[in-house]
Amino acid sequence: MNLLAANLDMLIALSAAVAVVAAVLVVAWPYFVRDHLTERMVQVTNENERIRVRERNRLNAQSKQISLRTEPKRLYKLIVDRLNLAGTENGETVKMLRMAGYRGEGPITAYLAIRQLAPVGMLVLAALYVFVILRLDYPFFVKLSIVMAAAGLGYYAPAIYLKNKISKRQFSIRRSWPDALDLLLICVESGMGIEGALRKVSGEIGSQSVELAEEFALATAELSYLQDRRKAYENLADRTGLDGVKGVVTSLIQSEKYGTALSQSLRVQAQENRDMRMNEAEKKAAALPPKLTVPMIIFFLPVLFAVIITPAVIQVMKV
């Protein structure tokens, strides 16, 4: 009986000792195991900084640099300063100029000055043409209305030109965007970083769309210089103003923030943009017959009637 009690006491003591050792191991285990996640995040941060420094040095080492920003001309700057037009500048004007491909202080100053000079110039030219050169035989009120209409056209001409420039630029980018996404997908799946992929695609897509190549090159430079990479992606979306580009930018931002797979998202985005381009082409093809109706009535039917009726008229004249 005493032997059984002694064995039971020894078993209890051994169990207590094992429990204490296990508790100590559980508490101290995090201090003995290396934190691979923290080390990995530090490596990624250092790699991004190294890529940023390398790209910055590469851009600075180029002997012939193409400046995307232009200084304002002295005449335009003088007009803006004298008329105090700098206060009229708003974010929407700057955004539209960037979407049209004009960046920096120079285009903004030129746009503000031209918007004031164009009505005056059109007014003077129209008055000279109507009252001096043509000398129209119309009442004075009619001639004055023509001159004022020309001045109004001069006021709206810069905005119309800017919108036309934006439309042409967006059309070029939209047409080449699915192909650029396919090239970007190939580069990413081959193991290239996003900066290297954008730089590679900008060199390859230039033969198809100079505007898109320029945007990719500018995005690469911003990724190298800006500390906030999210801002570089958002600038790319703002400069283009296209929904397809905004969708890809959202995927890039999510990939940077959460570490999600970028290749699958790019593949889906490329297919969606290709479908959108095909749908747009089908809409244009479907709208072609109604547009051809009026030209056919005006130009085709009279010729057809002449070909059919002319022999009968000739026969009648002979009889």
Side-chain angles (χ1 to χ4, degrees):
M1 189 69 179
N2 293 332
L3 181 60
L4 181 61
N7 291 334
L8 183 60
D9 293 338
M10 185 177 297
L11 182 61
I12 294 174
L14 183 60
S15 300
V18 171
V20 171
V21 172
V24 172
L25 288 177
V26 169
V27 174
W29 186 259
Y31 298 97
F32 294 102
V33 177
R34 298 178 60 183
D35 190 359
H36 296 285
L37 178 60
T38 304
E39 293 180 358
R40 181 63 177 171
M41 296 301 295
V42 171
Q43 291 178 1
V44 171
T45 304
N46 294 335
E47 183 67 17
N48 290 335
E49 186 65 26
R50 187 183 65 82
I51 293 174
R52 185 180 294 111
V53 173
R54 184 189 65 190
E55 294 296 326
R56 186 180 303 171
N57 295 331
R58 186 184 64 83
L59 293 174
N60 293 331
Q62 291 179 352
S63 58
K64 295 182 179 180
Q65 294 186 357
I66 300 175
S67 178
L68 297 177
R69 297 179 179 270
T70 57
E71 293 296 330
K73 293 183 178 181
R74 185 175 301 178
L75 176 62
Y76 295 154
K77 188 171 181 58
L78 180 63
I79 294 173
V80 171
D81 293 339
R82 288 293 180 86
L83 299 179
N84 195 18
L85 299 176
T88 61
E89 172 191 343
N90 52 21
E92 189 65 26
T93 302
V94 176
K95 183 179 179 180
M96 291 183 64
L97 287 171
R98 289 179 179 176
M99 291 172 63
Y102 301 111
R103 305 176 185 87
E105 183 181 357
I108 298 175
T109 304
Y111 180 77
L112 294 176
I114 291 174
R115 195 167 59 180
Q116 303 300 320
L117 292 177
V120 179
M122 291 293 294
L123 178 66
V124 173
L125 291 177
L128 182 63
Y129 192 73
V130 170
F131 289 101
V132 178
I133 298 177
L134 291 182
R135 295 182 180 180
L136 298 176
D137 191 13
Y138 290 107
F140 177 78
F141 179 76
V142 175
K143 293 189 286 187
L144 182 62
S145 300
I146 295 174
V147 173
M148 296 304 295
L153 179 62
Y155 179 78
Y156 291 104
I160 295 173
Y161 171 79
L162 193 62
K163 291 181 180 179
N164 186 33
K165 186 74 173 179
I166 292 174
S167 299
K168 291 182 178 179
R169 187 178 179 85
Q170 287 182 343
F171 175 76
S172 176
I173 295 176
R174 189 186 299 110
R175 183 178 57 184
S176 304
W177 184 246
D179 298 333
L181 287 183
D182 290 337
L183 294 175
L184 192 63
L185 175 62
I186 293 172
C187 294
V188 171
E189 287 185 341
S190 64
M192 298 178 62
I194 190 63
E195 292 91 345
L198 289 175
R199 184 173 65 252
K200 184 67 175 178
V201 174
S202 65
E204 295 294 334
I205 205 67
S207 59
Q208 186 174 353
S209 175
V210 179
E211 292 80 5
L212 184 55
E214 178 184 333
E215 294 297 335
F216 276 169
L218 187 58
T220 304
E222 288 185 343
L223 287 173
S224 303
Y225 278 91
L226 296 179
Q227 294 294 331
D228 189 6
R229 298 167 64 86
R230 179 190 180 95
K231 184 63 177 177
Y233 296 135
E234 291 177 350
N235 290 339
L236 176 61
D238 293 337
R239 288 193 304 268
T240 56
L242 297 175
D243 295 335
V245 180
K246 292 179 181 179
V248 175
V249 165
T250 302
S251 300
L252 291 174
I253 294 175
Q254 290 178 353
S255 177
E256 289 281 345
K257 185 175 181 180
Y258 301 107
T260 57
L262 184 60
S263 59
Q264 184 63 28
S265 178
L266 288 177
R267 183 177 290 104
V268 174
Q269 292 287 342
Q271 185 62 38
E272 289 181 355
N273 283 271
R274 199 175 297 280
D275 294 339
M276 290 171 59
R277 187 173 65 176
M278 182 61 67
N279 293 333
E280 185 178 357
E282 291 177 353
K283 288 180 181 179
K284 290 183 178 180
L288 189 59
K291 293 180 180 179
L292 289 176
T293 302
V294 176
M296 289 182 64
I297 294 175
I298 296 176
F299 300 105
F300 183 74
L301 290 182
V303 177
L304 181 62
F305 290 153
V307 171
I308 295 174
I309 297 175
T310 301
V313 173
I314 294 174
Q315 293 295 330
V316 171
M317 291 176 64
K318 288 182 178 181
V319 172

